[in-house]
Amino acid sequence: MFEVMFKELRELLRDRKTLFFVIALPIVIFPVLFAFVFFLTSKAALEAEQKVHTYFVVNEDYAPAFSDTLFYHRSFKRYEGEAQLDSVSALRDAVRQGIIDVGIYIPAAPDKQLAQGEQSRFQVVFNDAQSINYIYSRIKKVIDTYSAKLTAQALSELGVDTDKQDAMLQPVLMEKVDTADRRENIGEKIGAFIPYMLIPLVLMGASYPAIDLGAGEKERGTLETLLLTPLTRTQLVLGKFLTILISSIACALVTVSSMSIWIGLASGFGALDPILSAFASVTQWDFLLIFALLLPVAMMLSSLVLAISIYARSFKEAQNYMGPLSMLVFVPIVVSVLPNMALNAKTAWIPITNVALAIKEIVKGTVDYQAVGMIFLASILLAAALLACCVRWFSREEVLFR
């Protein structure tokens, strides 16, 4: 069994394509891609933050204080063109044509309406389809400030002292006392995304060697030579299985190590301080437990991809069969981030979902070790069953020589 494993490992190390997917891709390509996405996202957010919006206020004489605030606001520039903008429909057309970014329609003087006990309704016209958009929040802040001034003025005219106005306007304040600590809060938000990175990497690290060790052997015609050796079918399968398992775990370890090094380098520029502070409370034991949970997942996926590769007639056919397998991995991970999904006695028995939930709980620092024990038991039982099926699959002549 171990002779087969060492022989397969030597052949894998000579295969440039496998080395690229297992080592070069995680070390170089993935960090570059993540850095590129981070750069584009930061650039888009910065451009949206610094953008100056062109505005026009219809009936600005009704609210001169509000108009003055907008005029001197650093994020807004008044429209000085010749287009006739005197209604909501005209403002809507102007926004659609790109003449202005935002228009505000004031129907009547707010101070007079307030004196009559009526509310004034400002209509803000803008395009809200952009994913990063600060227009509405900035306009709302200006309107809220203007509204507060009108309210304070009205209360003063009614004889209410300035120092009593806050209590009159809001007699009861709600103060939040959060029982979750900083690690639990950040772990709930970030911990759910870690399985998205680790578990597909485990699958990727197993897929490419499995295709070569099963369908690749058939295509090269070396499977018959291997079957003539004095080793049993079970020993042959276990040797190939261990090779795929080592590659799978190595791919995840190399990727995580590479990313930690890149994050460490980037933190020197102060760009990733929030991420570093989030993981500061995660201990070495927590990381060790995460990798221990990935081991049975790697065993399950290694058995599965080896069985598929043995069944396939050629390299290409094996690739076609393994394409839908990625969905089989992603769907349980998506289930783990659904609202109200938590690690308990029931979810601990759902493959992959249980590991994704456990990783999130570990990062939060609220993991239930009894549930982790159930996950190990469920995962190892399933991995053993899949490996037994793989051995039985490899023993059938009609499968080996399709």
Side-chain angles (χ1 to χ4, degrees):
M1 178 180 73
F2 291 108
E3 288 127 356
V4 175
M5 185 187 77
F6 289 127
K7 169 247 178 196
E8 302 291 8
L9 281 175
R10 280 196 298 273
E11 289 186 359
L12 280 182
L13 291 174
R14 292 183 189 133
D15 185 9
R16 292 181 181 177
K17 188 166 55 179
T18 303
L19 287 178
F20 173 78
F21 283 110
V22 175
I23 297 177
L25 199 66
I27 289 179
V28 180
I29 307 297
F30 281 166
V32 170
L33 284 176
F34 290 146
F36 184 63
V37 171
F38 179 75
F39 169 74
L40 289 181
T41 306
S42 303
K43 186 181 176 186
L46 185 63
E47 287 178 353
E49 175 69 27
Q50 295 178 340
K51 185 176 180 181
V52 177
H53 307 287
T54 304
Y55 76 95
F56 187 82
V57 179
V58 179
N59 301 327
E60 63 180 0
D61 294 338
Y62 290 154
F66 171 75
S67 302
D68 289 344
T69 305
L70 271 185
F71 183 79
Y72 292 109
H73 199 290
R74 64 183 178 89
S75 298
F76 292 101
K77 181 180 69 176
R78 184 177 179 182
Y79 172 67
E80 302 291 351
E82 299 178 354
Q84 187 69 24
L85 305 175
D86 53 4
S87 63
V88 173
S89 60
L91 292 174
R92 188 183 295 118
D93 292 339
V95 170
R96 285 174 177 168
Q97 295 170 15
I99 297 175
I100 58 174
D101 295 318
V102 58
I104 299 102
Y105 181 81
I106 303 176
D111 51 349
K112 293 181 180 177
Q113 287 190 296
L114 182 60
Q116 297 172 2
E118 298 177 356
Q119 284 185 315
S120 184
R121 189 179 298 273
F122 287 15
Q123 289 181 275
V124 182
V125 183
F126 70 107
N127 186 348
D128 198 23
Q130 296 176 349
S131 55
I132 303 177
N133 197 333
Y134 295 106
I135 291 178
Y136 184 78
S137 59
R138 285 170 178 164
I139 292 288
K140 184 177 183 302
K141 191 174 180 181
V142 176
I143 291 178
D144 288 345
T145 304
Y146 175 65
S147 179
K149 286 181 181 176
L150 288 180
T151 305
Q153 182 181 347
L155 289 174
S156 298
E157 290 174 356
L158 291 173
V160 180
D161 294 338
T162 306
D163 54 349
K164 295 180 180 177
Q165 290 181 4
D166 289 339
M168 180 169 285
L169 290 172
Q170 194 170 5
V172 179
L173 286 175
M174 184 174 67
E175 185 176 352
K176 184 172 72 173
V177 180
D178 192 358
T179 58
D181 56 18
R182 178 179 171 79
R183 175 178 175 178
E184 190 175 346
N185 267 323
I186 298 177
E188 176 67 26
K189 298 175 180 67
I190 297 179
F193 293 99
I194 294 178
Y196 274 107
M197 180 183 67
L198 291 179
I199 296 177
L201 282 172
V202 170
L203 174 63
M204 190 185 75
S207 298
Y208 293 103
I211 293 173
D212 187 64
L213 299 186
E217 293 261 22
K218 280 187 179 179
E219 211 165 50
R220 292 192 298 271
T222 55
L223 184 62
E224 291 82 355
T225 308
L226 199 61
L227 292 172
L228 291 175
T229 59
L231 298 170
T232 64
R233 299 286 175 91
T234 303
Q235 289 174 320
L236 287 175
V237 172
L238 289 179
K240 290 177 179 293
F241 166 76
L242 288 176
T243 306
I244 297 168
L245 182 63
I246 290 171
S247 170
S248 174
I249 293 296
C251 184
L253 283 173
V254 167
T255 304
V256 174
S257 303
S258 166
M259 292 194 71
S260 62
I261 292 171
W262 281 99
I263 289 173
L265 292 174
S267 64
F269 300 96
L272 299 176
D273 287 343
I275 296 177
L276 291 178
S277 63
F279 283 92
S281 53
V282 181
T283 64
Q284 298 289 335
W285 162 250
D286 294 326
F287 283 114
L288 190 64
L289 190 57
I290 289 173
F291 283 113
L293 283 167
L294 288 177
L295 188 60
V297 174
M299 293 170 65
M300 285 189 291
L301 296 177
S302 298
S303 303
L304 202 56
V305 293
L306 181 59
I308 292 173
S309 182
I310 291 170
Y311 179 77
R313 292 190 183 93
S314 64
F315 208 91
K316 186 177 179 181
E317 190 177 330
Q319 284 180 318
N320 291 337
Y321 288 150
M322 289 186 191
L325 194 60
S326 58
M327 291 298 297
L328 196 66
V329 171
F330 273 111
V331 170
I333 300 175
V334 171
V335 169
S336 71
V337 297
L338 293 177
N340 296 328
M341 281 296 290
L343 184 61
N344 52 42
K346 291 182 180 177
T347 54
W349 294 91
I350 304 174
I352 297 180
T353 299
N354 52 10
V355 174
L357 288 170
I359 290 175
K360 186 171 73 173
E361 296 294 330
I362 290 170
V363 176
K364 288 168 59 181
T366 57
V367 66
D368 180 0
Y369 290 102
Q370 188 176 358
V372 171
M374 293 170 66
I375 292 173
F376 273 115
L377 179 62
S379 301
I380 289 174
L381 285 176
L382 183 56
L386 287 170
L387 186 58
C389 292
C390 191
V391 172
R392 187 176 176 80
W393 200 242
F394 198 76
S395 305
R396 296 176 62 178
E397 300 289 334
E398 62 270 28
V399 173
L400 290 179
F401 303 105
R402 288 176 66 228

